[in-house]
Amino acid sequence: MANKHIYTFGNTTVRNTTRFPKGLRVLANSKFNGSINTKEDELGFAKELDTNDVTKMKKQDDSSSGRKWRSAFDKLGFITSASVRRKELQNGEPDPLIMEVKSKYPEIPLSGRASEVTPQGQRMAQARNVYEMQDTVLRALLAVQIESFDKEGQFFKPFVFTLQVMKALADKGSKKGLNRSELLIVFSTSDHSKDGYIADQILEYRKGLAKEKGKRAKGKYDRNFLSRFLKAFDVKYDSAITYGDPNFKYMLSSGLFSRQGSRLIFNQDKLPIIEQILRTEPHIITNKVEYYYQLWNGYPLPTDNRDVLISEVQRLAKKTGVTLDQAQLGSVPDLKQLRIRLEEKQSNYEEGIFAANQCMSENVANIISYFRVINGEVKKGSEYDNARDDMPTFLEWTTWRAFLAIDGLKNKPEEARGFQVDQDFFPVGNAPGGRPDITLEFKNYVLVVEVTLTSTSRQEAAEAEPVRRHVAQVQDLYPDKPVYGLFLAQTIDNNTAEMFRTGLWYNQNNPRFVNIVPMTITQFIHIMQEFQKYHFTNDELERLIEKCLIPRNATVPLWKDEIDNLVQKYELVKQ
């Protein structure tokens, strides 16, 4: 029987699949693709991830991030596994398990080496939008099966079991979904027949928690109740509670769930797909070769079936007001492309509603809460849980939301952001290089916003050139409107500010001035707190930016002080 442990899809280092595409591209293009067999290899891979801004190494001799990323990729089938001791593979010998898979399925494009990017990994690395990412993650999570620690000789599918428990909760009248703490209860068993029992335990947990009064009493109850499920795992509550976060985020990235506060709920648009899955799952593959082929090549989904896919396309067409003709309902690949286009159309419509609602008082308060988390002022709560492992991405997203709240945009919300969002409009990765983080067209001006959490001299090296270049490029696109740049960071390095103070960008031998104001996140929080009181317009923000540009002829320290004085004292009142 397998050792009893709380299963996690990734690990507490790699908590979020949104970082996978870039990490897999780094691996695929490095000498470590198919060669992470020693601690030195893991260190080399860790340095590649650091150099390419996937991770931030605290110590240059620490190989742990390379090991953790390799493990996360391996678990989900994005790279091949090692079935023998890795030291046996150090001389480039093929892994026997991979060769067995290749023998049965010679078309699978693998060399036979362990830790090589698989077809599934290639799909994730090349995903062009959130829907392709969700498709790949869902195939991975549905495929994953582990040895049961409750039933000897049997296997268990953790993701499928979570779907079963949530359905059992719904059948018992609860549609609240699951939070991170409740996921510990879900993952305390490896027996598919216990879905009803686990649902009952979760309902008992909620009932008891609701009776407790005060944060301290609720915290004590939480610890005592959940610890009952941890005794057999030889893990303490404080360690175990961290496991719920990666499981929450990995499952969320499958597209089958939505976020409702701090809870996972079923995505209502995906209920037909969930029902299709639960009709055939858990489908356990007992043949090892067949299992790894499915894991590495791509586990089948209901939407691979043409009839199911047509039903999905017709549902989306009706929802988006698109008229379909029979000629469009062709091959499976064509139908998948059509489904993605319709999903994007529906998402853009809903994003417009999301944008219009950002000025609501609860949303403005939430935006400020996220800024305070990112600024290091708050280290607990649902905003912290969401953002903690991907602060740079959440900084871009929170800043975008802030300007949606201020409103007056002439371009569409999806055009204003340089990053992708999921079905709940949470961020999916950073804006790629080569374009601004945020570009906002207003009636009278255009604002290019760049954000960063880098500091000191690294900030000047990483940000000064691209920020000026992006503003200059946007000036070319809007020759009839003034274009400003706003640079947000926790701290503003003097050398970075100096590049903005002089305001010069050369297009070959042709100089041009770019108007960029550096501002701290603390200062921008103050601006949003003023917006919370007065709901000023974007015109008032332009006036503040112009005033911040006036004293830039002074030295950088004086200019930064003047910006701070202006932000603190300027009356951003709606005219």
Side-chain angles (χ1 to χ4, degrees):
M1 192 177 297
N3 293 330
K4 193 162 186 175
H5 66 281
I6 298 174
Y7 184 79
T8 51
F9 290 113
N11 49 60
T12 53
T13 297
V14 192
R15 295 170 178 263
N16 201 325
T17 62
T18 60
R19 301 168 70 196
F20 275 18
K22 190 172 182 180
L24 284 163
R25 289 195 295 271
V26 169
L27 177 58
N29 295 321
S30 76
K31 68 179 183 179
F32 301 103
N33 185 17
S35 182
I36 312 179
N37 300 315
T38 66
K39 191 171 182 178
E40 289 73 23
D41 293 336
E42 288 173 345
L43 178 59
F45 179 41
K47 289 181 177 179
E48 288 284 337
L49 292 169
D50 178 72
T51 300
N52 288 277
D53 293 324
V54 178
T55 62
K56 295 285 187 293
M57 290 182 73
K58 294 180 180 178
K59 297 179 180 177
Q60 288 302 303
D61 60 348
D62 183 6
S63 64
S64 62
S65 63
R67 181 180 72 255
K68 291 285 190 178
W69 277 78
R70 177 194 56 76
S71 172
F73 289 159
D74 185 354
K75 275 186 170 184
L76 292 188
F78 293 146
I79 62 173
T80 50
S81 305
S83 65
V84 294
R85 290 180 179 273
R86 286 193 291 152
K87 67 180 181 180
E88 295 178 37
L89 307 172
Q90 290 177 22
N91 295 322
E93 306 97 328
D95 183 277
L97 172 62
I98 304 170
M99 296 310 294
E100 282 188 69
V101 174
K102 279 186 65 66
S103 177
K104 185 172 182 181
Y105 297 99
E107 76 280 3
I108 193 168
L110 296 172
S111 68
R113 295 173 296 165
S115 301
E116 180 180 20
V117 177
T118 63
Q120 265 283 86
Q122 291 289 352
R123 287 190 199 98
M124 191 65 168
Q126 296 166 11
R128 294 165 296 177
N129 53 54
V130 67
Y131 306 106
E132 291 180 355
M133 287 177 60
Q134 288 175 347
D135 181 274
T136 308
V137 171
L138 180 56
R139 290 179 193 276
L141 296 182
L142 279 175
V144 169
Q145 60 186 45
I146 61 174
E147 288 185 62
S148 172
F149 49 74
D150 291 306
K151 289 191 169 184
E152 189 168 0
Q154 294 194 22
F155 288 91
F156 175 75
K157 287 192 164 185
F159 180 73
V160 172
F161 185 67
T162 307
L163 296 179
Q164 291 178 302
V165 171
M166 287 185 66
K167 185 178 184 303
L169 285 167
D171 290 344
K172 293 173 185 289
S174 174
K175 296 182 180 180
K176 288 176 64 176
L178 295 166
N179 63 23
R180 290 167 172 84
S181 295
E182 291 164 356
L183 283 174
L184 282 182
I185 302 175
V186 175
F187 283 78
S188 68
T189 186
S190 59
D191 181 352
H192 280 284
S193 68
K194 288 187 176 180
D195 53 335
Y197 166 76
I198 292 296
D200 287 337
Q201 294 300 304
I202 290 169
L203 293 173
E204 180 187 338
Y205 165 74
R206 292 174 183 172
K207 186 176 179 181
L209 188 64
K211 291 179 181 178
E212 300 295 334
K213 304 296 181 184
K215 190 173 182 180
R216 180 173 293 181
K218 287 182 181 294
K220 183 178 179 181
Y221 173 85
D222 191 79
R223 178 182 290 270
N224 290 338
F225 191 98
L226 296 178
S227 292
R228 289 166 35 192
F229 294 89
L230 303 176
K231 289 179 181 177
F233 292 98
D234 193 28
V235 60
K236 294 182 179 179
Y237 171 85
D238 291 329
S239 297
I241 202 68
T242 64
Y243 300 158
D245 188 59
N247 285 341
F248 183 99
K249 289 175 178 173
Y250 276 55
M251 290 191 290
L252 182 65
S253 64
S254 71
L256 297 191
F257 301 96
S258 289
R259 236 185 276 234
Q260 190 173 76
S262 59
R263 291 185 172 274
L264 282 177
I265 62 171
F266 280 144
N267 180 346
Q268 294 300 299
D269 286 339
K270 299 295 183 181
L271 286 178
I273 303 300
I274 294 168
E275 290 169 4
Q276 289 276 349
I277 289 170
L278 288 175
R279 285 193 193 115
T280 57
E281 295 289 347
H283 172 64
I284 301 298
I285 303 174
T286 55
N287 181 282
K288 183 179 284 190
V289 169
E290 188 65 29
Y291 170 69
Y292 279 101
Y293 173 75
Q294 297 278 20
L295 180 69
W296 295 338
N297 199 55
Y299 193 79
L301 299 181
T303 47
D304 293 338
N305 178 281
R306 186 171 180 273
D307 292 337
V308 174
L309 197 50
I310 286 174
S311 178
E312 269 290 281
V313 165
Q314 289 173 333
R315 178 188 67 79
L316 285 164
K318 183 178 180 180
K319 196 169 184 180
T320 55
V322 173
T323 302
L324 297 174
D325 58 52
Q326 196 62 34
Q328 292 175 282
L329 305 179
S331 67
V332 168
D334 289 342
L335 284 165
K336 286 185 175 182
Q337 287 185 340
L338 179 56
R339 185 188 67 165
I340 288 174
R341 289 198 299 270
L342 291 172
E343 284 179 324
E344 289 177 333
K345 183 178 177 67
Q346 175 64 18
S347 179
N348 290 342
Y349 169 75
E350 292 175 351
E351 189 168 341
I353 298 172
F354 172 83
N357 289 338
Q358 292 310 294
C359 64
M360 296 171 64
S361 57
E362 62 267 30
N363 285 329
V364 176
N366 183 254
I367 289 165
I368 293 170
S369 294
Y370 269 107
F371 272 127
R372 294 185 65 214
V373 164
I374 294 161
N375 209 30
E377 300 171 29
V378 176
K379 294 188 177 181
K380 59 184 177 180
S382 61
E383 290 88 359
Y384 176 73
D385 288 336
N386 288 334
R388 63 181 171 181
D389 63 314
D390 205 0
M391 293 289 192
T393 296
F394 271 79
L395 177 55
E396 292 179 9
W397 174 74
T398 306
T399 306
W400 171 67
R401 289 181 63 202
F403 284 102
L404 294 181
I406 295 171
D407 203 14
L409 280 182
K410 293 298 178 184
N411 54 344
K412 295 176 181 178
E414 64 270 20
E415 295 169 344
R417 55 177 169 81
F419 52 89
Q420 295 191 67
V421 293
D422 66 16
Q423 69 277 358
D424 301 312
F425 307 108
F426 278 83
V428 180
N430 300 91
R435 62 174 295 179
D437 296 337
I438 302 165
T439 306
L440 308 146
E441 181 190 0
F442 299 111
K443 180 181 178 181
N444 298 316
Y445 69 103
V446 177
L447 183 62
V448 177
V449 186
E450 299 281 3
V451 303
T452 188
L453 289 178
T454 58
S455 57
T456 65
S457 59
R458 185 171 180 178
Q459 184 186 88
E460 192 271 335
E463 304 292 342
E465 184 274 333
V467 172
R468 288 179 296 137
R469 173 165 42 84
H470 291 162
V471 173
Q473 289 170 340
V474 173
Q475 282 179 341
D476 291 336
L477 297 175
Y478 295 92
D480 299 325
K481 286 186 178 182
V483 175
Y484 306 98
L486 179 64
F487 178 75
L488 288 183
Q490 279 184 295
T491 59
I492 306 295
D493 177 66
N494 283 343
N495 291 301
T496 308
E498 174 63 20
M499 302 303 289
F500 300 151
R501 188 190 71 81
T502 56
L504 274 177
W505 175 258
Y506 279 87
N507 182 5
Q508 295 181 343
N509 291 326
N510 302 315
R512 67 170 69 183
F513 284 99
V514 288
N515 294 308
I516 302 169
V517 172
M519 195 175 287
T520 65
I521 296 173
T522 300
Q523 290 163 348
F524 197 74
I525 288 172
H526 175 77
I527 289 173
M528 290 309 297
Q529 288 170 333
E530 291 295 293
F531 180 78
Q532 202 172 23
K533 292 186 284 187
Y534 302 118
H535 274 222
F536 54 80
T537 67
N538 65 80
D539 290 332
E540 280 303 302
L541 191 64
E542 182 190 17
R543 293 186 185 97
L544 174 59
I545 290 170
E546 286 179 331
K547 285 183 176 292
C548 288
L549 288 166
I550 292 171
R552 67 177 174 179
N553 289 330
T555 62
V556 161
L558 288 174
W559 186 35
K560 286 165 61 176
D561 287 344
E562 282 300 306
I563 290 172
D564 190 57
N565 289 333
L566 283 163
V567 168
Q568 300 300 327
K569 295 177 182 178
Y570 188 71
E571 293 186 1
L572 284 158
V573 181
K574 186 173 182 179
Q575 299 296 316

